[in-house]
Amino acid sequence: MDAIREQTKKPLVVGALGLILGIILGVLYGWVINPVEWSDADIPNLRQDLQVDYLRMAIDSYAYNRDAALATQRYERLGDNAESVLAGVVAEPLTVKPEDITAFSVAVGA
């Protein structure tokens, strides 16, 4: 016990123990007690593949309701990435029909 008391009188040892304890408590608090919960992210903040999925859904919606104003609004929400995302949909349309992609592109002026 005396050896521990002697070690705690050294500022370097106390600082190192405080740092280690702080890191452990910070990780416990940040990952277990109160982790970050993301919600309502803007479209430009999504990953590229999710932006492509978003645009596929917008194209499907336009094919169904033919609302050019709504299609333009959804396309513009992609921001600066809009053209590259549209190119991604053209490259891999999956379930989207090519004629729907063409009609959507004409409607939004892309």
Side-chain angles (χ1 to χ4, degrees):
M1 191 68 163
D2 289 334
I4 294 174
R5 286 191 186 149
E6 286 297 320
Q7 292 297 322
T8 58
K9 292 181 182 178
K10 298 179 182 177
L12 188 60
V13 172
V14 173
L17 290 174
L19 179 67
I20 292 169
L21 182 62
I23 290 173
I24 290 170
L25 291 176
V27 168
L28 178 70
Y29 181 77
W31 284 1
V32 177
I33 297 172
N34 192 17
V36 175
E37 294 179 16
W38 296 97
S39 63
D40 299 331
D42 288 336
I43 303 302
N45 295 334
L46 296 176
R47 292 187 324 244
Q48 181 74 17
D49 62 326
L50 295 178
Q51 289 179 6
V52 170
D53 287 343
Y54 168 80
L55 191 58
R56 282 188 191 114
M57 289 183 276
I59 292 170
D60 284 341
S61 172
Y62 177 73
Y64 179 73
N65 63 23
R66 298 291 180 189
D67 186 352
L70 182 59
T72 303
Q73 177 185 9
R74 289 175 175 167
Y75 181 72
E76 289 175 351
R77 286 189 68 194
L78 288 165
D80 297 336
N81 305 7
E83 291 181 15
S84 66
V85 174
L86 184 58
V89 172
V90 170
E92 286 187 56
L94 299 181
T95 60
V96 181
K97 298 175 187 171
E99 58 270 12
D100 292 342
I101 297 172
T102 304
F104 180 85
S105 298
V106 169
V108 300

